[in-house]
Amino acid sequence: MLVASAGSAAAATVCNGYSEYCSMIYSNVTVVGAHNSYTASNTNLAANQDYGVTQQLTDGVRLLQNQVHNSNGVLELCHTSCLLYDGGSLSSYLTKVKAFLDANPNEVVTLLLVNSDDQPPSSFASVYQSVGIDTYAWSPPAATIDPTAWPTLGSLIDSGKRLVTFMDNSADFTSVPYIIDGMHSNKNLGMGDHILTSGSTEFSNMWEGHFDIEDATFFNCTVDRHNGDTTNQMYLINHYLYTQSTLFGVGDTPVPNKAALPVTNAISGAGSLGEEAGTTCLALHPRAPTFLLVDFYDWGSGSVFQVAAGLNGVQYVAKSIAAQNGTDSTSSSSGSGSTTTSTKNGAENVSVMGGRSSVWTAVVAVACVALGSFVAM
């Protein structure tokens, strides 16, 4: 039970931007999520966002999905491989998230960590503690939470526990209770209905829809990866579209379909976020999706946030967000054959191998494409 301590500030009256949300339980509040939040660049084909985490949070993104890899003993945010795309350390990223939470006491943020190298939760806890963000982390009463048993946003804010963390595998409630069994397996299972094996802890608190979609007709809000009774779970829809391209000399590589974004991120119409989340999902399931995972949230000038507000039953409050297709500053270091791209507004530094190292990048790219797990993860 979450109770504000004696002498604490008055109960929150505005939660995640709306007074109505304070009395709504966490599982009933639909939020916009940034797919591969750390991949912030508008020039790199492996990126899924234009802006980094600070700007994402400032603009209203409240779910941050990230791939975490073990790179020489350091937890790094990398896209498929740290040789291919290194988005910086988890520690650096969480430092930015903590700064936002420090400065915005009425906001609840969710992290979805893809534990790509099956690291123990204690290794993540060490990073949380070193950054000091563990003090914000909410711990559930049990490893699996009934969707009706979640606290309200107001009670989370009043308690000071405003960070909810899910991890796709290896979560252990007995050792690190605030890293919650989640979903979004890093295994590239492809299309179809995937029931995880008996004893798996993945997807114990939510299910996930199809991913790696290249045809907008597959935005159909059907259950894909799951474990347990999907009628009694939160869920996430992957509403981002891919197309085939040539990357690092490798043809038929799935990359984000930016040309389709005016439709994909739209409020209404065939293939839009509004149609899948607000019409299709509600026709198929007893509740709205809790998480709307999108690419390049800034495309549509707030349309993705308007969809979320509509699902939550509130009047959307328009606000200025970062300009669509934000620009980067790029500098190349002589001699090393590498290029470092730094995006504005709190983006992670991204190292993309170049020069002689491009041979290794191409090797990694070929291997990843062969495994079917490249950019579209």
Side-chain angles (χ1 to χ4, degrees), residues 31-84:
V31 298
V32 173
H35 174 225
N36 288 330
S37 166
Y38 61 94
T39 60
S41 172
N42 71 344
T43 57
N44 191 303
L45 286 177
N48 297 100
Q49 304 299 330
D50 285 327
Y51 294 94
V53 63
T54 299
Q55 190 65 45
Q56 291 168 20
L57 291 168
T58 298
D59 287 341
V61 171
R62 289 297 174 267
L63 169 69
L64 307 168
Q65 182 265 339
N66 295 283
Q67 287 184 37
V68 187
H69 294 253
N70 179 2
S71 179
N72 298 316
V74 177
L75 293 181
E76 293 275 319
L77 304 178
C78 303
H79 205 168
T80 306
S81 167
C82 294
L83 289 175
L84 178 66

Side-chain angles (χ1 to χ4, degrees), residues 94-340:
L94 290 180
T95 296
K96 295 181 175 69
V97 177
K98 181 179 183 297
F100 176 83
L101 290 170
D102 289 343
N104 297 273
N106 290 325
E107 302 296 324
V108 176
V109 174
T110 300
L111 287 170
L112 175 53
L113 303 177
V114 178
N115 187 6
S116 300
D117 293 332
D118 300 325
Q119 295 298 291
S122 57
S123 64
F124 289 84
S126 294
V127 178
Y128 273 54
Q129 292 162 10
S130 68
V131 171
I133 203 170
D134 60 308
T135 59
Y136 284 119
W138 178 74
S139 296
T144 301
I145 310 104
D146 186 281
T148 63
W150 282 84
T152 64
L153 291 197
S155 61
L156 287 170
I157 290 169
D158 294 343
S159 72
K161 302 300 183 181
R162 300 184 284 114
L163 179 68
V164 178
T165 302
F166 294 101
M167 194 156 69
D168 72 324
N169 71 83
S170 302
D172 183 357
F173 179 74
T174 61
S175 65
V176 186
Y178 59 78
I179 295 181
I180 306 168
D181 290 338
M183 39 67 70
H184 204 285
S185 169
N186 61 305
K187 281 68 173 178
N188 188 31
L189 301 176
M191 300 297 288
D193 187 29
H194 300 104
I195 302 174
L196 300 195
T197 57
S198 177
S200 173
T201 59
E202 299 174 14
F203 301 89
S204 61
N205 284 294
M206 66 185 80
W207 60 264
E208 178 181 3
H210 291 307
F211 67 111
D212 295 3
I213 293 172
E214 296 181 15
D215 180 348
T217 61
F218 282 99
F219 288 141
N220 54 24
C221 204
T222 55
V223 178
D224 185 30
R225 293 177 287 186
H226 62 98
N227 183 13
D229 180 7
T230 59
T231 65
N232 195 39
Q233 291 179 331
M234 297 185 294
Y235 64 98
L236 175 149
I237 61 171
N238 295 294
H239 196 89
Y240 45 87
L241 198 64
Y242 284 90
T243 187
Q244 296 293 324
S245 184
T246 298
L247 189 60
F248 299 115
V250 180
D252 297 329
T253 301
V255 298
N257 189 341
K258 296 193 79 169
L261 282 170
V263 172
T264 305
N265 285 3
I267 298 168
S268 61
S272 69
L273 177 64
E275 181 184 66
E276 182 179 19
T279 301
T280 307
C281 289
L282 295 181
L284 293 175
H285 308 294
R287 58 176 55 82
T290 305
F291 306 111
L292 311 176
L293 201 62
V294 302
D295 281 350
F296 305 104
Y297 73 90
D298 47 300
W299 285 66
S301 302
S303 57
V304 294
F305 302 110
Q306 186 169 350
V307 171
L311 290 171
N312 292 328
V314 300
Q315 181 66 41
Y316 173 62
V317 178
K319 72 172 191 175
S320 177
I321 68 169
Q324 180 174 299
N325 203 28
T327 58
D328 310 24
S329 61
T330 303
S331 61
S332 299
S333 57
S334 60
S336 65
S338 66
T339 300
T340 300

